[in-house]
Amino acid sequence: MEKYIIKGGLELHGEISVSGAKNEALKVIAAAVLSEDVCTIKNVPDIEDINRLIEILEDLGATVERSDHRLVINPAKINKTEPTPELIRKLRASVMFAGPLLARVGEVTMAHPGGCVIGQRPIDMFLAGFRALGAEVIENEHQYTLRAKKLKGAKIVMPWIAVTATESLMMTACLAEGTTTIINAAMEPEIPALADYLNSCGAKISGAGTPIITIAGVEKISGGTCALIPDRIEAGSFVIMGLATGSEIKVTNLNPNHLETVITNLQKTGANLEIGSDYIITRPSKLKGIELRTHEYPGFPTDLQAPFTVLMTQAKGISLIHETIYEGRLFYTDKLNQMGAHIIMCDPHRVIVNGPAELSGKTLESPDLRAGMALVIAGLVASGKTAVENIYQIERGYENIISRLKGLGANIEKIDDCLVK
Ligand code: EPZ
């Protein structure tokens, strides 16, 4: 079993560059199915989630060439209506293929998706949206089938804000007849980025990045080239890592406009940050506890809640962390307590952190992608040796993390237990 071994307590220094956005890449890859032409995606991170989506694309009949953070997808031969269930179950983002396949082939049977264990994460809003667009939807506990000769534009009111459901319906509606309006749409920066790419391929989407998105259906989506935006969650994770370890590091190739609430909340804790046009420098700071609430964009992202909570273990006083999006995304705090943190869980959505605490190294299992990164940060802060297991979860979303952190002077290695006597 592979794991990370971290010898913590070191100050970091130097620069770390942010990769292309995972959560844009996954959607642009699925959107390639809408077209019969070649789609080129640049700045693609080399991470496990992308590997899984490429496997699904190839299973569907597409060809994919990959080199130097660039994917060239030729979807011309896609005509499969039942992607292999084992591939679909490997990650939640596989659900993104359902709409484009329906729009292109007229029918699709998909296994229910898998993914991070951070909450219930149903797909009811996707299915309600496909129904509104005129699809027949037949569902059982293992799979669902969607059928529609031609999708029809509709008014879709989202009962609450959901990122991938917004993106899925936005891309599917591109090939519907007539106009679709999505009301109460999510506004994450990856959504206007996806809309810009689709518009460059002939789609007619307006309002992406606001709560009301309008899509005028078109006959055809052509091929195109998409350069992914920087990954704001990776950027935020690195900035928090710099602060938590009391280090001066420069996080480059980011867009600070996508991190405004993150920056504001960090500054509220007393974080000393230098914000440039495409970088943030962290400096050793006297941190104090604050109250934080996660919220849909432009609020503080749930995906940075776990790293932020680690930071608050190093801040003076009480912090209240309120995770409003997921009911299963605070259980990793138990692992921080094993390391010496003082965190009390009030209910599945709220914890109180009493800091500062001296963390010491332990063997910990990574529960999900973002909590896994939070444990890595905790390991870098802690004295002694931390072992982080189940690292597949981390490598789902962070490219080449060992050598990038070593570049900052971190003492971190990946070892394979089977090879260690
Ligand atoms: C996206 O997940 C991201 N994933 C997540 O990133 C992120 O945590 C989340 O948005 C919130 O920002 C991708 O972009 C691939 P939601 P998504 O639909 O779209 C409920 C990461 O670490 N819901 O906004 O799945 C759902 O259960 C990850 O990179 C329904 O009830 O999140 C949740 O409580 C993990 N029915 C809430 O809505 C539905 O049909 C928000 O989910 C869909 C969602």
Side-chain angles (χ1 to χ4, degrees):
M1 191 180 51
E2 289 186 320
K3 55 170 100 158
Y4 296 159
I5 302 292
I6 304 164
K7 290 187 185 133
L10 293 179
E11 224 176 89
L12 308 178
H13 48 82
E15 286 190 23
I16 186 161
S17 168
V18 172
S19 307
K22 164 181 88 81
N23 286 346
E24 184 192 0
L26 298 176
K27 324 307 165 51
V28 177
I29 290 174
V33 173
L34 289 168
S35 173
E36 298 195 358
D37 305 335
V38 169
C39 158
T40 302
I41 315 175
K42 297 180 186 170
N43 198 24
V44 181
D46 191 358
I47 53 176
E48 293 293 349
D49 271 10
I50 301 288
N51 298 341
R52 298 296 84 74
L53 282 208
I54 291 174
E55 285 163 13
I56 297 173
L57 270 179
E58 290 175 339
D59 178 56
L60 291 172
T63 60
V64 184
E65 283 169 36
R66 189 175 191 179
S67 62
D68 196 23
H69 296 107
R70 174 191 292 253
L71 285 189
V72 180
I73 303 169
N74 185 340
K77 296 213 170 101
I78 288 182
N79 66 359
K80 193 167 178 176
T81 57
E82 285 199 43
T84 304
E86 291 70 37
L87 298 178
I88 296 299
R89 286 194 204 103
K90 283 185 179 163
L91 77 173
R92 169 142 173 118
S94 61
V95 67
M96 296 308 297
F97 284 106
L101 271 174
L102 170 68
R104 168 146 171 198
V105 193
E107 172 167 348
V108 55
T109 295
M110 299 264 289
H112 282 291
C116 268
V117 200
I118 55 180
Q120 286 191 11
R121 309 186 84 193
I123 57 162
D124 54 322
M125 282 195 256
F126 293 76
L127 299 184
F130 297 141
R131 254 190 213 108
L133 292 172
E136 179 191 2
V137 180
I138 303 161
E139 195 190 3
N140 66 29
E141 59 179 310
H142 305 295
Q143 62 180 43
Y144 57 97
T145 297
L146 312 173
R147 273 191 211 107
K149 280 212 175 80
K150 182 75 189 164
L151 294 168
K152 299 253 177 344
K155 175 170 151 181
I156 302 174
V157 183
M158 309 290 270
W160 66 78
I161 300 169
V163 179
T164 42
T166 298
E167 294 164 319
S168 167
L169 297 173
M170 181 177 86
M171 61 169 93
T172 305
C174 287
L175 289 179
E177 205 174 79
T179 299
T180 298
T181 315
I182 304 176
I183 298 184
N184 199 22
M187 300 190 282
E188 272 63 9
E190 294 76 22
I191 300 173
L194 174 66
D196 286 348
Y197 165 66
L198 286 169
N199 284 341
S200 76
C201 301
K204 291 196 173 138
I205 303 171
S206 56
T210 78
I212 302 180
I213 303 179
T214 305
I215 306 114
V218 294
E219 277 295 312
K220 182 179 178 310
I221 298 289
S222 62
T225 299
C226 173
L228 300 175
I229 61 173
D231 195 308
R232 65 198 161 90
I233 304 301
E234 191 180 81
S237 307
F238 293 157
V239 169
I240 290 173
M241 183 175 69
L243 291 168
T245 53
S247 308
E248 176 162 331
I249 63 167
K250 183 174 185 182
V251 185
T252 60
N253 188 32
L254 54 73
N255 185 342
N257 298 330
H258 296 165
L259 288 163
E260 280 176 333
T261 337
V262 176
I263 292 168
T264 297
N265 278 287
L266 289 174
Q267 285 171 334
K268 215 170 134 192
T269 70
N272 182 352
L273 299 175
E274 181 183 323
I275 324 268
S277 56
D278 64 352
Y279 67 85
I280 297 179
I281 297 176
T282 65
R283 300 219 162 81
S285 311
K286 274 201 177 128
L287 301 170
K288 64 174 193 305
I290 64 161
E291 183 176 340
L292 179 90
R293 260 166 193 262
T294 63
H295 197 280
E296 293 84 3
Y297 191 84
F300 189 96
T302 169
D303 292 344
L304 285 176
Q305 173 265 110
F308 190 88
T309 302
V310 172
L311 183 66
M312 289 303 90
T313 68
Q314 302 308 298
K316 188 160 186 246
I318 301 281
S319 301
L320 172 65
I321 311 292
H322 190 163
E323 166 57 61
T324 66
I325 315 272
Y326 292 112
E327 69 282 5
R329 219 173 192 184
L330 282 168
F331 295 122
Y332 69 89
T333 52
D334 191 36
K335 300 178 195 294
L336 297 181
N337 282 343
Q338 288 170 32
M339 299 177 85
H342 306 296
I343 303 177
I344 300 166
M345 183 166 282
C346 312
D347 60 50
H349 284 282
R350 288 176 307 162
V351 292
I352 290 172
V353 186
N354 195 349
E358 278 187 20
L359 304 184
S360 54
K362 286 276 171 313
T363 295
L364 307 159
E365 189 171 328
S366 171
D368 66 72
L369 165 61
R370 306 301 173 187
M373 188 58 185
L375 294 182
V376 169
I377 296 173
L380 292 170
V381 171
S383 58
K385 190 170 100 176
T386 296
V388 181
E389 300 176 340
N390 195 21
I391 57 170
Y392 175 80
Q393 286 298 333
I394 299 171
E395 295 183 357
R396 283 185 43 216
Y398 294 90
E399 175 177 332
N400 212 359
I401 196 69
I402 296 294
S403 67
R404 290 161 85 201
L405 295 188
K406 276 186 169 177
L408 291 174
N411 187 334
I412 181 167
E413 298 291 341
K414 180 166 160 175
I415 62 154
D416 190 337
D417 254 0
C418 305
L419 303 176
V420 178
K421 291 200 179 145

